[in-house]
């Protein structure tokens, strides 16, 4: 960027409280203001020449390239949201506003970034609450209402009435579980400050509430919060309810700057055709299908901790959920 | 036929109707279409939000097989989803939570048509 141009952008950008970044046609950063440096956790020298693509979530790269191409072609681009990696290594949504400038035959894109985390979190929370109340809770209560009607109208036989009452209890518990999940969702999206969590202690505390053998190998301290308990509760419940496993084995070890936790069960394996969708919002499968929130919640929590989760087949049968969380004493 | 992915709702509807009618259960839209082809049930009670194939899509598919099919929608989203179901070919929509009386009245209306 020419020095005169750069000076103009610098004078404007250095005083702006919002992150501002300018990059050339190749996507190389030519200027970043202090707010952008603070967001990225880098000094100006580290940022110069670095590709803007490196900061963008892999799934949003095409969106970025398309906007860049259109801006450089002189088209106006509507404000849009991209996920960018912050200094903690976590992707957060930013509203991107900007345009292209041309000086002495060189073209540059200048964009400002507004943190949309709170807005996106609230939007997500509203969607989840609405869906859970309108669909899941209402279905659970519809069943409760009808079981009660059946008890009143049909059950002269004591044994049958007892069975219906047990089902009433199950449906009520399901409604309670949905409400508890909603509370955990709130933690997942607008949760507390991340802190040092000993994974083994969390797993052992959760395991006490399950009636099958759950063994733990290894130890790890990670960046998380008390929502990590919900992650294991849902994984164990999932292995029991869907996999009908008779035992669960947990192994954890340090892998570079991460702690890898493998939660293995020996139940029914997850069919290949649904593996890509099990973490989707509202996805349910099979006879034991529940609210479709459990694994989605697990993924949201793990992502909030800057980690990742995926599923593999266990040998000879069952599934292994692999979680990678940032180790507390990581180097970055 | 009762099409409902929520096993508790499906079971209670079955219990409520089985002393009057032969009830065939289906847990998603795709299964409902398959069963419809085989048994041509006289009335279909169809939930909307289901995995694999939702109730709106299943209603359209069943209407293609049998334009005279009598499909009664069951939904918590009566305004939005109910409208979609009616547009797809449902004869009526009942809002959740419903009572046994509501179900029987609707079924009787279309059985006797």
């Amino acid at each position: 960027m020419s020095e005169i141009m750069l000076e103009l952008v610098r004078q404007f950008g250095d005083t702006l409280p919002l992150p501002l970044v300018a990059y050339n046609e190749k996507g190389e950063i030519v200027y970043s203001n202090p707010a952008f440096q603070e967001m990225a956790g880098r000094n100006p020298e580290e940022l110069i020449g670095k590709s803007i693509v490196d900061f963008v979530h892999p799934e949003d790269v095409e969106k970025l390239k398309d906007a860049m191409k259109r801006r450089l072609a002189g088209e106006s681009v509507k404000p849009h949201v991209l996920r960018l990696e912050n200094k903690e290594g976590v992707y957060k949504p930013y509203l991107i506003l900007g345009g292209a400038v041309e000086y002495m035959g060189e073209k540059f894109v200048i964009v400002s970034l507004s943190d949309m985390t709170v807005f996106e979190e609230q939007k997500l929370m509203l969607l989840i609450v609405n869906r859970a109340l309108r669909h899941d809770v209402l279905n659970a209560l519809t069943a409760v209402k009808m079981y009660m009607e059946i008890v009143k109208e049909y059950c002269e036989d004591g044994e049958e009435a007892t069975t219906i009452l047990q089902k009433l209890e199950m449906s009520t518990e399901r409604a309670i579980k949905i409400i508890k999940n909603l509370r955990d969702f709130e933690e997942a999206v607008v949760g507390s400050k991340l802190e040092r969590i000993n994974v083994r202690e969390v797993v052992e505390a959760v395991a006490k509430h399950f009636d099958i053998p759950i063994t733990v190998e290894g130890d790890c301290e990670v960046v998380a919060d008390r929502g990590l308990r919900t992650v294991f509760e849902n994984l164990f419940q999932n292995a029991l309810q869907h996999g009908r496993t008779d035992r669960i084995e947990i192994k954890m070890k340090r892998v570079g700057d991460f702690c890898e936790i493998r939660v293995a069960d020996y139940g029914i394996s997850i069919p290949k055709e649904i593996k890509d969708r099990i973490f989707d919002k509202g996805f349910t499968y099979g006879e034991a299908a529940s609210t479709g929130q459990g694994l989605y919640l697990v993924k949201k929590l793990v992502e909030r901790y800057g980690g990742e989760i995926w599923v593999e087949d266990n040998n000879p049968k069952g599934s292994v959920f692999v979680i990678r969380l940032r180790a507390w004493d990581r180097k970055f | 036929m009762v099409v409902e992915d929520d096993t508790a709702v499906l079971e209670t509807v079955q219990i409520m109707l089985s002393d009057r009618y032969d009830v065939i259960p289906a847990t998603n839209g795709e299964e409902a279409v398959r069963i419809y082809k085989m048994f041509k049930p006289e009335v279909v009670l169809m939930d909307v939000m289901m995995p694999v194939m939702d109730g709106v899509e299943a209603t359209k598919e069943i209407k293609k097989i049998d334009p005279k099919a009598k499909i009664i929608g069951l939904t918590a989203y009566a305004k939005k989803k109910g409208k979609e179901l009616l547009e797809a070919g449902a004869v009526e929509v009942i809002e959740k939570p419903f009572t046994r009386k509501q179900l029987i009245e609707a079924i009787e209306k279309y059985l006797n048509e």
Side-chain angles (χ1 to χ4, degrees):
Chain A
M1 193 183 247
S2 86
E3 279 309 309
I4 301 168
M5 182 86 160
L6 184 60
E7 189 51 35
L8 279 171
V9 175
R10 185 179 290 133
Q11 280 195 22
F12 170 68
D14 285 2
T15 57
L16 198 70
L18 291 176
L20 187 89
V21 64
Y23 49 90
N24 63 19
E25 287 178 88
K26 292 179 197 158
E28 295 162 347
I29 294 174
V30 293
Y31 167 76
S32 63
N33 75 344
F36 187 90
Q37 293 148 21
E38 164 64 21
M39 181 211 87
R42 315 270 176 100
N43 60 43
E45 293 73 34
E46 283 176 308
L47 289 167
I48 295 291
K50 199 165 171 56
S51 174
I52 188 72
V53 172
D54 294 347
F55 293 92
V56 176
H57 191 285
E59 288 170 14
D60 291 349
V61 168
E62 280 312 307
K63 210 166 148 188
L64 167 86
K65 285 183 176 170
D66 179 60
M68 188 166 121
K69 197 172 143 192
R70 286 170 52 208
R71 281 192 178 108
L72 289 168
E75 290 176 38
S76 118
V77 177
K78 282 186 184 169
H80 54 280
V81 176
L82 292 177
R83 287 165 290 177
L84 275 86
E85 192 178 9
N86 68 9
K87 62 183 171 190
E88 288 163 343
V90 176
Y91 287 102
K92 293 209 161 187
Y94 287 89
L95 181 72
I96 312 293
L97 284 159
V101 289
E102 187 172 351
Y103 186 78
M104 308 273 284
E106 280 185 275
K107 285 181 179 174
F108 305 95
V109 172
I110 304 175
V111 293
S112 72
L113 292 75
S114 306
D115 191 345
M116 295 292 284
T117 314
V118 175
F119 176 77
E120 290 291 316
E121 283 166 354
Q122 285 173 345
K123 198 168 84 177
L124 177 68
M125 194 64 207
L126 192 65
L127 278 172
I128 292 164
V129 169
N130 192 37
R131 188 195 149 86
L133 289 177
R134 294 292 301 270
H135 184 259
D136 303 335
V137 177
L138 198 68
N139 261 348
L141 296 177
T142 297
V144 169
K145 196 166 172 275
M146 289 195 294
Y147 280 131
M148 281 157 65
E149 214 179 317
I150 295 164
V151 172
K152 275 195 289 184
E153 289 185 23
Y154 298 104
C155 294
E156 289 167 8
D157 179 328
E159 200 177 314
E160 196 177 348
T162 307
T163 310
I164 297 283
L165 285 171
Q166 279 168 352
K167 292 191 171 181
L168 255 174
E169 201 180 350
M170 274 167 59
S171 270
T172 314
E173 273 171 14
R174 187 155 65 101
I176 293 166
K177 191 181 158 204
I178 293 162
I179 292 163
K180 278 186 178 168
N181 267 349
L182 278 176
R183 184 200 58 198
D184 295 337
F185 263 120
E186 198 175 346
E187 282 283 315
V189 291
V190 287
S192 55
K193 196 169 180 284
L194 300 183
E195 55 192 350
R196 179 197 297 206
I197 299 283
N198 184 301
V199 182
R200 192 183 178 102
E201 283 173 13
V202 174
V203 170
E204 285 175 346
V206 174
K208 282 180 196 162
H209 300 277
F210 288 81
D211 289 334
I212 52 166
I214 298 177
T215 58
V216 193
E217 264 181 45
D219 209 345
C220 259
E221 284 190 330
V222 298
V223 181
D225 63 11
R226 63 196 177 99
L228 189 61
R229 188 186 167 94
T230 307
V231 169
F232 292 107
E233 276 172 357
N234 274 287
L235 290 180
F236 295 173
Q237 188 61 37
N238 196 64
L240 259 178
Q241 190 175 339
H242 297 278
R244 290 183 219 138
T245 190
D246 59 356
R247 65 189 192 281
I248 294 171
E249 288 170 0
I250 293 141
K251 290 179 183 168
M252 60 187 98
K253 63 175 182 189
R254 181 77 177 247
V255 179
D257 286 330
F258 293 87
C259 169
E260 186 175 285
I261 307 147
R262 300 179 69 86
V263 180
D265 70 64
Y266 292 85
I268 304 160
S269 300
I270 297 167
K272 201 175 161 188
E273 65 271 18
I274 65 160
K275 260 190 194 148
D276 293 342
R277 293 185 288 146
I278 56 167
F279 295 106
D280 289 355
K281 185 166 63 180
F283 180 73
T284 58
Y285 178 79
E287 287 174 14
S290 184
T291 64
Q293 293 174 359
L295 290 179
Y296 176 63
L297 171 61
V298 164
K299 186 164 182 271
K300 290 304 294 181
L301 280 163
V302 170
E303 282 176 356
R304 185 173 124 70
Y305 305 148
E308 54 182 337
I309 182 167
W310 66 90
V311 66
E312 296 174 359
D313 284 331
N314 198 10
N315 190 21
K317 62 174 187 164
S319 305
V320 185
F321 282 86
V322 187
I323 307 168
R324 272 199 177 180
L325 296 174
R326 293 177 295 159
W328 176 255
D329 59 348
R330 69 198 191 282
K331 291 184 190 109
F332 52 88
Chain B
M1 173 164 66
V2 182
V3 194
E4 168 66 64
D5 68 315
D6 188 300
T7 48
V9 177
L10 180 64
E11 187 187 70
T12 47
V13 173
Q14 271 185 279
I15 296 170
M16 285 179 156
L17 302 178
S18 56
D19 63 336
R20 282 174 171 252
Y21 315 105
D22 291 326
V23 183
I24 309 168
T27 55
N28 63 61
E30 196 178 84
E31 204 180 308
V33 176
R34 210 166 49 237
I35 292 173
Y36 196 92
K37 279 181 193 163
M38 287 191 281
F39 299 103
K40 289 264 168 62
E42 289 166 283
V43 174
V44 179
L45 297 179
M46 178 78 77
D47 182 30
V48 182
M49 288 173 70
M50 291 181 290
V52 189
M53 183 191 282
D54 70 17
V56 175
E57 203 53 41
T59 299
K60 286 180 189 164
E61 289 299 315
I62 291 174
K63 290 299 256 188
K64 275 186 212 163
I65 302 163
D66 176 9
K68 289 182 179 170
K70 295 181 182 89
I71 301 167
I72 299 169
L74 306 174
T75 178
Y77 295 80
K79 275 188 191 155
K80 188 172 173 241
K81 293 289 176 185
K83 193 168 169 267
E84 285 177 34
L85 265 177
L86 292 171
E87 283 168 2
V91 288
E92 187 173 330
V93 172
I94 299 176
E95 192 168 359
K96 285 181 182 174
F98 38 73
T99 61
R100 179 170 179 262
K101 191 168 167 265
Q102 278 177 290
L103 291 181
I104 290 173
E105 274 175 7
I107 293 167
E108 288 297 316
K109 186 159 70 180
Y110 297 105
L111 267 183
N112 299 329
E113 257 189 3

